[in-house]
Each structure stands twice: as C-alpha cells, then as structure tokens.
Amino acid sequence: MRAYHLETFGKIEGIVLRDGGGPRPAPAGPTGIVVRVRAASLNRRDLLILHERYPLSAAPGVIPLSDGAGEVVAVGEAVTRFAIGDRVSCAYFPHWRDGRITPELVAQPGCTFDGMLAEYAVLDEQWAVRVPDHLTWEEAATLPCAAVTAWNALTGGEGGAPPAGRSVLTLGTGPVALFAVQFAKLLGCRVVSTTSGEEKEERLRALGADAVVNYVRTPQWGSTVRELTGGGADLVVETGGPDTIEESVRASSLYGQIALLITASAAKSGIEISHEAYASSLATIRRVFAGSRTQFESMNTAIAAHGLRPVLDRVLPFEEAHEAYRGYAEDAPFGKVVIRVGD
C-alpha cells in the first residue's frame, strides 16, 4: 500500500510517499472495514496541521487529510452497517455520532490517527458514512469537513434550519462559504454573498447567490447587506473570523444568528466587536466546527434528494499531492482541491 506520511513539519516536502509493500490491509478487529480510497481533498486544517498551528497535535508520521471517499473492499466478521462495494467516507469526528461534542470525542483522521491520503484506509464501521450515489469519487471526497461545517452552520442552531424565505449571508469563496450558498438555496433561503472580484461575483450568482457585495468596493458592507435583506441577514455563516466579525454583526438582523467558524487570523489573534456594533444587535453567536455523524448523514440525504454537486477547482493525481498542497495554499482556489488516488 502506498501512502503519504507527515514526517517533517513546516514544509510540504515533509509529506513523504511511502510504499509499504505486502498485501492489502486487513480489517482492524471484528467491526473494522477496509476502504479502497478513490479520492481525497484538502482543507485549511491540513495546512494548519502541517505548520503545527492546529489545536490538536498530529501523531508522528500520520497519514494526512480528513476528507476522502472510496469503496469498502473488506469487512470484519461483526460488521453490520456496510458490505463490500459500498461507497463511503470517514466522518471528520469519527467518535461523535450525535448530540453535543465532548472533549473525549475530538480524535480526527489525518491528525490524531491516519487519514485518507493513501490507497487504503482502515476504519471502524461506526466511523464511516455512506456517500450519495450520484456523486463522482472526487465530489464525494469533499464532504466530511467543509460541507458538514456549512450544513451544521445552517441547520444545527436552536430551532434548526432557517425557514424558506429567510436571508443567509455567506462570506468569500472558500469551500465552506460555497457549500453554504448551495445548502441555503436548497433550503429555500435568499442568499447574499461577499467577495472581492467581478469574476467571483458572477460565479457566486451562477451558484445561486441572489445578491453579491464586493467588499473591496464597499468596505463597510454590513449596512449594505442590511439594505439588501430589508433589515439584516437572519443567519450569517461567518468564515472570516476577526477580519470580518464586526461587519457581520452590523449585517445581522436584530435577532439573527451568526455561525462563527474562525476565531484567529494572520493579522489578529482573537475576536473583537465594538460596543457600537454589538449594541445595535441582539444577534446570537454560535461556534461551529464540522459536525456529528448524524449531521453528515442528514446532509447526504439532502444532497442526494436535490442532486447537489460540490464545486471542484482542480483534480490532481496521487503522485502530485505536493502540487495539490501548493495550489491550495497559494492560488485561492474557487472550490475544492482534490487528489485522485485510484482509477
């Protein structure tokens, strides 16, 4: 089995391809499954892990990437959830099945244990989630982190998903924001998005955004969003953190919700909201990071029912994993960067 391993932190070249040789891996115990990985995709957390800026410490020599998809090729004798040939992915938090997350449930593939940048992944059946049949392997490989985070941001708050007709604000064109646009439209919401360029404005509209605000031309975009939504966004999917939280509060409706993903940036180490901004709102801020296996499964049900397809920026072969990392880090891709692992 060939697999990449994170052997040296701080540089992409520290991710080394090894050929383990020998037979295909076997299930790890009676409830284990072996997945032939077909594709894997990158997330911001993978760069943070590489540069030792992630909240969790990576296991020595860990196989990177939380996100991937493939088919089950072997099962333990007690497996009941899956059969050989099933199309699956691994949950971002494999031990978090439902309800609220607790500290003992935070183990993650590609960090605390081996991830998906390999020809085979050895999982427990409880960690795996069936992926929608209409998706390609490359599309299915994008779901565990960014898609589930966006789904949780939209549906995981008090009261569940916003009713059809409510307004949702998304920020920028990162993977979570793009999934949020798609999911919000799927739920029947009116979507306002922010971005920095005309080309991206058109691509956001094509994806479903009802209005787009250029934050370069309009630095104080919060008031513009309030005008466009007739009183403010009912839900803000806040992917910018310290750099955008002030305007997000100004853009929120009086009793809106702000799903906050990021709390630090390269320029700022924490969240700051002025008295003037927060005094004008009674918005609730909710911290969001990925989601449970149950949320992953409910999201996949919605994706399958509506035929939704994730946005891909590029797909590179397994042997060009380093180029995939560089492209993700340097090129500001519009959509997911995917590594095709096998035919």
Side-chain angles (χ1 to χ4, degrees):
M1 180 184 83
R2 294 187 302 163
Y4 285 90
H5 295 262
L6 178 51
E7 294 187 350
T8 306
F9 292 104
K11 57 182 181 179
I12 293 172
E13 292 75 17
I15 302 169
V16 178
L17 179 61
R18 297 182 193 164
D19 190 339
R24 185 181 71 197
T31 61
I33 63 174
V34 178
V35 178
R36 183 185 179 190
V37 181
R38 296 291 194 163
S41 72
L42 285 151
N43 292 288
R44 181 175 179 270
R45 57 86 81 168
D46 299 307
L47 297 180
L48 296 176
I49 291 169
L50 175 63
H51 294 290
E52 296 184 279
R53 297 201 298 267
Y54 197 61
L56 299 179
S57 298
V62 71
I63 297 173
L65 305 193
S66 60
D67 286 18
E71 78 265 28
V72 177
V73 294
V75 299
E77 62 269 22
V79 169
T80 59
R81 297 187 68 235
F82 300 102
I84 291 174
D86 285 347
R87 293 161 45 92
V88 302
S89 186
C90 183
Y92 189 87
F93 291 108
H95 303 298
W96 181 18
R97 297 185 192 175
D98 201 0
R100 293 183 175 182
I101 195 168
T102 55
E104 63 270 18
L105 303 178
V106 298
Q108 298 170 16
C111 183
T112 58
F113 64 92
D114 284 339
M116 304 298 284
L117 194 53
E119 292 179 320
Y120 294 93
V122 180
L123 310 175
D124 187 87
E125 68 168 335
Q126 296 296 337
W127 303 355
V129 174
R130 202 178 308 273
V131 296
D133 291 335
H134 75 281
L135 298 181
T136 66
W137 289 121
E138 292 79 12
E139 291 167 337
T142 69
L143 301 177
C145 182
V148 175
T149 300
W151 184 257
N152 186 1
L154 284 161
T155 69
E158 185 176 351
R166 296 293 176 88
S167 56
V168 173
L169 171 65
T170 68
L171 309 183
T173 54
V176 174
L178 296 183
F179 274 118
V181 172
Q182 292 179 288
F183 291 149
K185 294 306 295 182
L186 178 155
L187 294 167
C189 297
R190 172 175 166 78
V191 178
V192 178
S193 301
T194 69
T195 192
S196 60
E198 291 184 6
E199 180 184 352
K200 290 183 177 180
E201 286 184 39
E202 293 307 312
R203 297 182 74 176
L204 283 166
R205 292 182 192 277
L207 196 61
D210 297 285
V212 182
V213 179
N214 187 310
Y215 60 78
V216 175
R217 292 196 299 263
T218 311
Q220 295 180 324
W221 43 264
S223 58
T224 302
V225 172
R226 282 206 171 192
E227 293 173 7
L228 287 170
T229 55
D234 297 299
L235 175 65
V236 181
V237 182
E238 222 306 343
T239 51
D243 301 326
T244 53
I245 187 65
E246 175 90 359
E247 289 302 310
S248 288
V249 172
R250 295 180 186 277
S252 175
S253 64
L254 183 60
Y255 288 98
Q257 291 187 42
I258 299 173
L260 177 65
L261 276 63
I262 297 170
T263 56
S265 69
K268 299 179 181 179
S269 60
I271 295 291
E272 292 184 7
I273 304 170
S274 70
H275 168 74
E276 180 187 2
Y278 211 46
S280 67
S281 173
L282 296 173
T284 300
I285 297 176
R286 180 172 69 96
R287 183 79 166 92
V288 175
F289 189 59
S292 67
R293 192 187 81 187
T294 297
Q295 289 174 308
F296 194 171
E297 291 167 337
S298 66
M299 177 194 76
N300 284 348
T301 299
I303 288 174
H306 293 266
L308 183 148
R309 308 200 83 102
V311 180
L312 305 185
D313 182 89
R314 69 195 71 176
V315 178
L316 288 86
F318 189 63
E319 293 75 15
E320 296 181 21
H322 288 177
E323 292 306 311
Y325 264 84
R326 289 191 187 94
Y328 182 82
E330 299 171 4
D331 295 345
F334 189 99
K336 296 289 286 185
V337 174
V338 178
I339 299 168
R340 183 182 291 117
V341 179
D343 297 328

